[in-house]
Amino acid sequence: MPQGTNSATTGNATPASSGVKEQRVTKQRLAVSAALDELDDFVSTQELYRLLQNKGISVSLATAYRILQSLADDGLIDVLRNGDGEAVYRRCAVTGHHHHLLCRNCGKAEEVEAPAVETWAARTAAEHGFTEVAHTVEIFGLCPECTAKKAAGEL
């Protein structure tokens, strides 16, 4: 999804035009959305809350959780579980279904399409009689920079 604020990020979309439930646009929702636009990597709710507080933006932690979940439910941001099982969020550049390569050390994320995974998931679901299926695949490893640091003994 492109950087910046648009009707999808602020929740101004109408239900009839987009299928997205209309959200009340609040200062807090706009602040969370703008903060996500500025970030390149996934961020936990706690980290986002601290970033907002450091900028002097008043959003309670509970409100940050609700807004992030709402944005994720509406498909406006990606949510996944990091290596510790904590939910992390990011506005992704790729629209539509995709997966991520995630660095266990620095948190860098790469968006990837995986047609073989899509084929396997559809075939496996059909073989077992499942319909309306969804899946999430996240691959954890070390990015090239962290791999080089580890080889140099810096990690």
Side-chain angles (χ1 to χ4, degrees):
M1 187 168 289
Q3 299 273 331
T5 302
N6 60 35
S7 63
T9 61
T10 60
N12 289 335
T14 61
S17 67
S18 68
V20 173
K21 164 177 97 167
E22 188 169 357
Q23 295 290 328
R24 205 171 109 224
V25 179
T26 64
K27 289 188 294 186
Q28 292 89 352
R29 187 175 172 89
L30 291 171
V32 167
S33 186
L36 288 169
D37 287 341
E38 295 173 8
L39 299 172
D40 291 326
D41 289 324
F42 283 89
V43 64
S44 70
T45 308
Q46 296 271 345
E47 291 167 326
L48 184 65
Y49 171 75
R50 280 191 294 277
L51 288 169
L52 293 168
Q53 295 302 303
N54 290 342
K55 289 182 173 189
I57 299 169
S58 178
V59 176
S60 74
L61 185 58
T63 297
Y65 274 107
R66 281 192 301 273
I67 291 169
L68 287 169
Q69 188 58 56
S70 171
L71 291 170
D73 290 346
D74 291 344
L76 301 175
I77 60 174
D78 275 353
V79 59
L80 56 93
R81 299 275 173 193
N82 65 16
D84 297 327
E86 179 181 30
V88 290
Y89 304 86
R90 182 175 83 166
R91 187 162 337 267
C92 287
V94 175
T95 57
H97 182 74
H98 61 280
H99 304 284
H100 299 94
L101 292 167
L102 298 156
C103 182
R104 286 190 306 260
N105 183 58
C106 71
K108 178 180 180 179
E110 294 288 337
E111 292 146 350
V112 294
E113 293 183 23
V117 170
E118 305 310 320
T119 301
W120 171 81
R123 185 182 67 242
T124 301
E127 287 172 1
H128 295 277
F130 279 66
T131 62
E132 299 183 35
V133 297
H135 67 273
T136 303
V137 175
E138 312 306 340
I139 303 169
F140 294 89
L142 293 179
C143 69
E145 293 81 12
C146 289
T147 298
K149 287 179 183 177
K150 184 173 183 179
E154 298 174 19
L155 273 186

